[in-house]
Amino acid sequence: MGAALTRAAQWTAAGSGAGTLEITPLNESLLNQIVKFVEDFSTRHPQEAAFVFREPLEWKTQLGCSAFGEGYEIDKATVQSEAKDEGGHPLLLLTGSNLQVRNFDQLSHLLQIAAEKKLKEAQACLEANRDPIVKILGPEYATVEGEDTSMLRLLEKVKKDDDPQTEMKMKIVILLHHLDMQLLNSSLKHISQDVRLNPAAVNNEVNLLKNFSGKGEDTVLESLEYTSDYTFSNGCRAPPWRQVHGEICYLIIKPHDTDPLCITCSTAGVFLNGGEIKGKDEIDYERKSDVYKDIVTFLRERSPKFVENMAKQEFTFFKEPTNEKNDQHVQVVPKVSGQSPNLDDYTEKNVYEKRKNSAAKSRSIDKKILEPSMKWKNIGLSAAHNDKAVREKERRRSSTVSGKKKKKASGIPSESVKTQPALKCKISEKFEEVSESSSETDEDEEQPVRHQEGSSDLPSEYWGIQKLAKFLRGGNQTATVIALCAMRDFNLTQETCQLAIRDIGCLEVLINLLDTEEIKCQIGSLKILKEISQNTLIRHAIADLEGLQIMVKILDSPDTDLKCLAAETIANVARFKRARRTVRHYGGIKKLVGLLDCMSVKSTGLTLHQAKDTEIARCGALALWSCSKSTKNKEAIRKAGGIPLLAKWLKSSDVDILTPVVGILQECASEPSYRLAIRTEGMIENLVKNLSSEQEELQMHCASAIFKCAEDKETRDLVRQHGGLQPLSVLLDNSENKRLLAAVTGAIWKCAISEENVSKIIDRLDGVRLLWSLLKNPNPDVQANAAWAICPCIENAKDAGEMVRSFVGGLELIVNLLKSKNKEVLASVCAAITNIAKDEENLAVITDHGVVPLLSKLVNTNNDKLRHHLAEAISHCCMWGSNRVTFGENKAVAPLVHYLKSNDPLVHRATAQALYQLSEDPSNCITMHENGVVKLLLAMVGSTDETLQEAAAGCIANIRRLALATEKAKYG
């Protein structure tokens, strides 16, 4: 079991934690086999099943006390087995959610109790006990890389003594070893069936990218190199002992805008590894990121510059030099204005025609026709040699497509399908000209457009949907409804089916069906559109085909199901800016707010009519949630009377509607008008209440809403009065959900600005210790918010210096965060250091940890937020020993002078204070004077800000005193 978990199971990138088992078919197969082995263990090996483990297997369980029955003693939240070991310890002990099991017999019985939850329990157990054999038999049986001699050692021990325990261990080791072999063999079969990349495909992609890499400004990469020049006979460059893991090669990639990346290309895909090990000519093979399908997809996630420069490449991006010996035809794909080309959007097909060996062979080759990629087919563009095919396609389309018409009840003739402009499949809103708000962020991710090289590659689902298309286009009403039902039988969450619907023109038909008077056809169409609109490309296509306008119109329908489906589909489509704007322009916001205006918000004992009202409100809230990412839409929701309705639904206990309602509120809380309304409408109490929900997504949105609303003191007081600080502190212990942690730390940061809240957190809830531990979290948002939250806690604590020193290793940890690449993390850490440095003893400690050179490295920045807090940190760090001199030696002084040219008054004040402290050293005065500081400071001596005024005057005075002393020494 240990070897299989270590070598075969697929784990998430661990970061600073232990990692979790990914949700993959391979892992599910391994878990099922392990569960089967343990379930049968008691029956097949009763003596070994009674063997007591060296240490109990321990994990967080989802099982409650009520699940246990005969054979267990239950006392409130504690369950213990009646069976005990020789020391009197129960063989199974459940305390709260913490479960301990001490033998296979209890494990087997537990899985029977868990029933449908047994896979989850097995997963939780294995995640908490990465090498379970160590717990079962002891550390000497730990799983090791390379040759495992534990079996031989055990055999020797069996020979030397007659201890029955040793013999029992031998049997258990053999049983577990057999399980390991079974799991490893099973995983090999699984992996062999799921090969996606091969050496040739990787090499082709590398060569292609190399052709467009270099030092130039418009190149896609600076460089891309293999780590090894040696190629094995199978085309792999990875060493043989790594090839067994499916690894093909390793690449060092240097993008223009990030640090060099060391990646692994394997049969499973492409991922970031640990990089080259210092001092050794080796690679750290551990996976540090998600797995991507190819190098291009990986780079899109990592380098905005790569995406930007790739979009600049003309059609020559894929053109190869002609070969004199071969008649070579290269497809030329034109660049379309307003679209973002990407590597997967193009199909490159080179047909090599050898010299004529026979007339038949020659004729066969001459008949080959080069097909354009699916994307260019869809938008009506193709190479010149395909004009005939395009004309034929347009002729066929014109025979089935005409202007927009209402369909009659008796049937839906083919002439009624409306003509729409060619699809404009924009890959990312990053390249879209429409902009709703500078603060708005898009959820849409870039997805590569799939292309097919030939009909032989198309799956059966593709042809099945194509057959249904003719019934949608040309059938009567009954045939259309049947075709819609048949289409829903396909797996519409699968990309193949989604794009098949788009590729063969069904999308236009589905949208046209929405504009009929037949409710059954409308509902059938919307059910399909709701599913396939999860795909980014489909969303954009629906917007291009004016589908949103029709859906907004449907919101007025008296049919409840139709309104709900329209709102849910709008929720999916409105995830990019242009779609959100369209919904607003066609009156959709007002109609969606109207869906919230129902009679009752009860969650239990609802009549059928009330349940329908609640469902309508839920769907409306989902759509408004997507739309609320636009600043103008936030205002439109407010004007349409949305705030009181949101306040009403916030009192519900139904998580399904609470989640989108709180989602809207946390989006809109960035606006002062909403923050005021949230406070005055009494919503803070309900937001605090839902922090204790069992749903992490709801908790996260509530914390995020509190984070934004707690800008105002009145709100911070309300959070405390309604008992919000305690659940926020409890949520700090949730180290798995990074988005939840980021929201919670942000909420605590804002709440901690009020001194009353700080004292409560520190004295009663131990919140600062938890915040400090979150600085270790690998997520930059969590790190930054934790550091911001620590600042007011230190500032307002009674014995701040002593409190900070009580965190073992805490000062070293926060100083090391100055090496971060994230500007927000750096600004927050500088702010924390400013507060830490107010205590002389702590300042001495962080000086020893190298705070001065690390701060000095950051001074060359244009970010005013970082400049402000960095200058403050430097000012306070000057108060110890020779730190002033060290800042000068580290070239930190001259860049600080230029901060005075900033437009931010906070930067002026902090910089003047830093310069004043630095000017106590003569060498620094000379540097400042040479960089023109006097002229800049003179203008600030007359400032109305007294702190800035005094610091500027003090710095000038120090420079003047040095000048006078120099003159006196020189002239006497």
Side-chain angles (χ1 to χ4, degrees):
M1 189 170 10
L5 289 174
T6 303
R7 296 165 192 156
Q10 296 164 329
W11 296 85
T12 59
S16 61
T20 58
L21 283 165
E22 294 179 338
I23 302 170
T24 64
L26 172 58
N27 281 351
E28 188 179 8
S29 172
L30 294 177
L31 283 172
N32 275 316
Q33 291 176 70
I34 291 170
V35 166
K36 181 76 168 61
F37 171 84
V38 175
E39 277 184 323
D40 297 343
F41 200 93
S42 291
T43 308
R44 299 178 66 179
H45 314 287
Q47 288 183 317
E48 289 76 16
F51 174 80
V52 179
F53 300 159
R54 178 79 166 266
E55 293 180 42
L57 293 175
E58 189 171 352
W59 70 94
K60 296 287 183 185
T61 182
Q62 294 183 5
L63 299 177
C65 298
S66 58
F68 295 86
E70 189 179 346
Y72 296 93
E73 299 169 2
I74 303 173
D75 181 18
K76 296 180 181 177
T78 303
V79 176
Q80 58 180 0
S81 61
E82 293 174 354
K84 295 180 172 55
D85 64 11
E86 292 178 354
H89 302 106
L91 295 175
L92 181 145
L93 177 64
L94 173 63
T95 310
S97 63
N98 195 62
L99 182 63
Q100 293 183 351
V101 181
R102 292 178 179 269
N103 69 6
F104 278 110
D105 189 52
Q106 289 295 330
L107 272 179
S108 179
H109 195 202
L110 179 75
L111 290 177
Q112 293 170 21
I113 292 171
E116 71 276 0
K117 293 181 180 177
K118 58 189 175 186
L119 273 186
K120 283 287 183 186
E121 289 299 312
Q123 180 179 350
C125 175
L126 295 173
E127 286 173 352
N129 305 276
R130 286 288 286 266
D131 198 355
I133 297 172
V134 172
K135 295 279 187 77
I136 295 169
L137 298 174
E140 60 269 33
Y141 300 95
T143 304
V144 295
E145 287 292 333
E147 186 179 357
D148 187 357
T149 59
S150 59
M151 189 81 78
L152 294 175
R153 291 199 307 273
L154 188 60
L155 193 57
E156 287 294 322
K157 196 171 181 183
V158 170
K159 288 180 181 178
K160 288 179 182 177
D161 60 53
D162 298 326
D163 184 3
Q165 283 282 351
T166 307
E167 189 174 346
M168 181 70 72
K169 285 185 179 181
M170 180 72 173
K171 291 179 181 177
I172 293 173
V173 166
I174 291 169
L175 289 170
L176 293 177
H177 180 71
H178 280 226
L179 174 63
D180 249 342
M181 291 302 101
Q182 179 187 330
L183 295 175
L184 288 169
N185 287 333
S186 172
S187 66
L188 282 173
K189 288 179 185 175
H190 230 284
I191 291 167
S192 65
Q193 294 168 0
D194 192 32
V195 173
R196 288 185 283 167
L197 283 183
N198 57 54
V202 171
N203 197 47
N204 286 342
E205 193 173 14
V206 169
N207 289 338
L208 183 64
L209 287 169
K210 275 188 174 181
N211 288 337
F212 296 91
S213 298
K215 297 292 183 183
E217 196 173 302
D218 291 334
T219 56
V220 296
L221 296 168
E222 192 174 314
S223 66
L224 177 143
E225 299 295 338
Y226 290 108
T227 59
S228 170
D229 293 330
Y230 184 78
T231 307
F232 291 89
S233 57
N234 60 0
C236 293
R237 295 170 187 255
W241 60 89
R242 297 306 304 177
Q243 289 184 32
V244 298
H245 295 281
E247 293 177 8
I248 297 169
C249 65
Y250 314 100
L251 296 165
I252 302 289
I253 300 175
K254 290 185 180 177
H256 289 295
D257 54 350
T258 71
D259 292 336
L261 305 168
C262 190
I263 68 166
T264 298
C265 298
S266 72
T267 54
V270 174
F271 56 86
L272 187 71
N273 58 44
E276 294 180 305
I277 301 172
K278 290 182 180 178
K280 296 184 180 179
D281 191 18
E282 293 178 15
I283 296 288
D284 176 0
Y285 301 110
E286 185 181 351
R287 179 160 65 86
K288 303 292 185 182
S289 73
D290 291 336
V291 179
Y292 299 85
K293 70 171 195 171
D294 52 32
I295 300 169
V296 170
T297 307
F298 170 85
L299 287 170
R300 278 209 192 94
E301 290 290 321
R302 297 276 166 172
S303 170
K305 192 71 175 177
F306 173 81
V307 176
E308 180 185 334
N309 285 359
M310 194 170 68
K312 295 177 183 176
Q313 305 302 322
E314 299 295 339
F315 64 83
T316 53
F317 194 94
F318 287 94
K319 191 170 182 179
E320 294 183 358
T322 55
N323 190 316
E324 292 179 3
K325 295 182 180 179
N326 298 317
D327 180 15
Q328 178 172 289
H329 302 283
V330 181
Q331 180 192 351
V332 178
V333 182
K335 182 177 178 183
V336 183
S337 175
Q339 292 185 334
S340 60
N342 69 65
L343 294 176
D344 290 331
D345 287 351
Y346 302 99
T347 304
E348 179 193 18
K349 298 181 180 177
N350 302 326
V351 180
Y352 297 94
E353 297 183 6
K354 296 184 178 180
R355 294 182 181 275
K356 296 176 183 178
N357 295 327
S358 66
K361 185 174 180 180
S362 174
R363 282 194 298 273
S364 174
I365 294 173
D366 288 342
K367 288 179 182 177
K368 288 190 177 181
I369 299 174
L370 295 176
E371 290 289 330
S373 71
M374 295 304 294
K375 176 179 178 182
W376 304 115
K377 277 184 177 180
N378 290 333
I379 63 171
L381 295 172
S382 69
H385 60 262
N386 238 19
D387 282 348
K388 183 177 178 181
V390 172
R391 286 196 299 271
E392 176 63 15
K393 179 181 175 182
E394 290 302 319
R395 185 191 65 75
R396 289 198 304 270
R397 176 169 174 149
S398 65
S399 69
T400 60
V401 180
S402 68
K404 189 193 298 185
K405 292 181 181 179
K406 293 281 182 181
K407 296 171 182 59
K408 297 179 182 178
S410 59
I412 305 173
S414 60
E415 289 82 4
S416 64
V417 183
K418 66 183 178 185
T419 305
Q420 292 290 353
L423 296 186
K424 300 173 183 176
C425 299
K426 297 176 183 175
I427 301 306
S428 170
E429 286 305 305
K430 184 172 183 176
F431 303 106
E432 193 172 297
E433 292 177 8
V434 179
S435 176
E436 288 283 288
S437 157
S438 59
S439 63
E440 186 177 354
T441 57
D442 251 334
E443 282 186 7
D444 278 355
E445 296 176 359
E446 292 180 56
Q447 290 184 4
V449 179
R450 184 203 57 172
H451 60 270
Q452 288 112 359
E453 291 295 331
S455 60
S456 61
D457 293 336
L458 296 172
S460 58
E461 291 90 347
Y462 193 94
W463 301 117
I465 288 173
Q466 188 178 55
K467 288 175 185 175
L468 289 174
K470 62 182 178 182
F471 294 105
L472 284 180
R473 288 196 183 98
N476 58 25
Q477 181 194 350
T478 304
T480 302
V481 172
I482 292 171
L484 289 168
C485 293
M487 192 172 284
R488 286 193 63 216
D489 287 337
F490 288 94
N491 182 5
L492 297 178
T493 60
Q494 189 179 338
E495 189 186 33
T496 302
C497 296
Q498 293 168 347
L499 296 184
I501 289 171
R502 186 201 66 172
D503 292 347
I504 59 182
C506 279
L507 196 57
E508 295 95 324
V509 182
L510 289 170
I511 290 171
N512 193 44
L513 287 173
L514 298 180
D515 208 15
T516 69
E517 295 174 349
E518 298 304 323
I519 288 180
K520 287 183 180 178
C521 292
Q522 289 176 304
I523 288 176
S525 177
L526 277 172
K527 283 183 176 179
I528 294 169
L529 289 169
K530 186 185 85 169
E531 294 296 327
I532 65 175
S533 58
Q534 301 288 346
N535 184 298
T536 304
L537 299 177
I538 301 292
R539 289 202 283 270
H540 286 256
I542 289 171
D544 290 333
L545 291 167
E546 299 179 7
L548 278 169
Q549 290 90 316
I550 304 173
M551 291 177 206
V552 167
K553 184 180 173 184
I554 289 173
L555 294 175
D556 291 325
S557 169
D559 188 279
T560 301
D561 293 334
L562 199 55
K563 284 196 289 193
C564 288
L565 285 167
E568 284 188 284
T569 311
I570 289 170
N572 289 340
V573 179
R575 292 184 188 173
F576 63 101
K577 296 174 186 174
R578 179 162 52 91
R580 291 193 277 270
R581 186 185 65 163
T582 300
V583 174
R584 183 178 73 252
H585 280 188
Y586 284 84
I589 301 296
K590 189 173 183 179
K591 293 179 182 181
L592 289 169
V593 168
L595 297 184
L596 299 178
D597 194 5
C598 303
M599 296 299 294
S600 174
V601 297
K602 291 194 298 182
S603 58
T604 56
L606 293 177
T607 65
L608 184 62
H609 180 71
Q610 288 171 331
K612 278 285 185 185
D613 281 349
T614 303
E615 177 61 12
I616 294 171
R618 183 190 72 84
C619 297
L622 284 171
L624 286 171
W625 189 6
S626 293
C627 292
S628 66
K629 295 181 188 303
S630 157
T631 303
K632 291 181 180 178
N633 283 353
K634 291 173 188 176
E635 181 64 13
I637 293 170
R638 189 183 65 78
K639 286 183 177 178
I643 293 177
L645 294 171
L646 291 171
K648 183 180 74 171
W649 283 109
L650 192 58
K651 295 172 184 173
S652 170
S653 56
D654 185 343
V655 173
D656 288 339
I657 191 166
L658 271 175
T659 301
V661 164
V662 178
I664 297 167
L665 289 172
Q666 68 91 12
E667 285 290 347
C668 294
S670 57
E671 302 297 314
S673 58
Y674 271 91
R675 293 203 295 272
L676 176 62
I678 288 170
R679 186 170 76 246
T680 54
E681 289 278 352
M683 290 190 249
I684 297 298
E685 182 179 359
N686 296 110
L687 290 173
V688 166
K689 175 186 171 185
N690 287 307
L691 286 173
S692 303
S693 166
E694 293 180 359
Q695 298 293 323
E696 288 190 352
E697 186 182 8
L698 179 56
Q699 289 175 322
M700 184 264 290
H701 291 307
C702 287
S704 183
I706 291 171
F707 169 35
K708 292 177 181 176
C709 290
E711 289 283 347
D712 311 314
K713 185 182 185 303
E714 294 87 348
T715 301
R716 295 196 290 271
D717 293 340
L718 285 172
V719 172
R720 182 181 71 256
Q721 290 161 15
H722 291 300
L725 298 177
Q726 184 171 4
L728 284 172
S729 296
V730 169
L731 288 173
L732 286 178
D733 272 332
N734 187 332
S735 58
E736 299 299 322
N737 190 328
K738 293 184 174 110
R739 291 178 68 210
L740 175 58
L741 279 176
V744 170
T745 49
I748 289 178
W749 161 29
K750 293 299 182 184
C751 288
I753 294 171
S754 293
E755 189 173 344
E756 302 93 325
N757 290 346
V758 172
S759 61
K760 187 161 185 177
I761 291 175
I762 292 172
D763 296 341
R764 301 183 190 177
L765 303 175
D766 199 21
V768 182
R769 178 185 59 79
L770 292 169
L771 286 170
W772 214 286
S773 68
L774 289 177
L775 294 175
K776 299 176 186 176
N777 193 290
N779 185 287
D781 291 337
V782 176
Q783 289 175 345
N785 285 350
W788 285 125
I790 283 168
C791 294
C793 292
I794 298 173
E795 194 172 357
N796 295 321
K798 293 175 184 175
D799 301 312
E802 186 61 37
M803 179 190 74
V804 169
R805 285 192 292 280
S806 70
F807 303 124
V808 179
L811 290 172
E812 184 178 8
L813 170 63
I814 205 157
V815 169
N816 282 334
L817 280 176
L818 289 172
K819 298 173 185 175
S820 172
K821 303 293 182 187
N822 185 287
K823 292 286 192 296
E824 189 70 19
V825 172
L826 292 172
S828 63
V829 170
C830 286
I833 286 171
T834 299
N835 286 288
I836 290 167
K838 291 174 183 176
D839 179 88
E840 191 176 71
E841 194 172 334
N842 288 338
L843 176 53
V845 174
I846 62 174
T847 299
D848 290 341
H849 286 309
V851 73
V852 173
L854 287 171
L855 289 172
S856 300
K857 284 182 180 178
L858 302 177
V859 291
N860 292 300
T861 179
N862 294 321
N863 184 298
D864 275 345
K865 189 174 187 180
L866 177 53
R867 282 174 162 184
H868 167 209
H869 295 290
L870 175 58
E872 282 191 334
I874 290 173
S875 173
H876 282 81
C877 287
C878 284
M879 306 290 192
W880 178 256
S882 59
N883 282 359
R884 292 184 181 89
V885 179
T886 312
F887 277 120
E889 291 170 349
N890 280 278
K891 313 294 183 191
V893 178
L896 277 175
V897 173
H898 300 295
Y899 287 16
L900 296 174
K901 297 177 182 178
S902 165
N903 294 322
D904 188 340
L906 292 175
V907 174
H908 295 167
R909 176 199 274 198
T911 304
Q913 288 176 302
L915 292 172
Y916 171 53
Q917 292 298 331
L918 290 166
S919 67
E920 297 289 337
D921 174 61
S923 298
N924 291 342
C925 285
I926 294 168
T927 305
M928 291 178 201
H929 192 273
E930 288 173 347
N931 284 273
V933 76
V934 174
K935 184 178 179 181
L936 294 167
L937 287 175
L938 279 172
M940 296 177 184
V941 169
S943 170
T944 54
D945 182 338
E946 289 186 7
T947 305
L948 172 58
Q949 186 186 93
E950 289 177 10
C955 185
I956 294 171
N958 285 341
I959 294 171
R960 181 59 183 155
R961 270 194 292 271
L962 176 64
L964 290 172
T966 304
E967 286 179 13
K968 187 175 181 181
K970 190 173 182 181
Y971 301 109

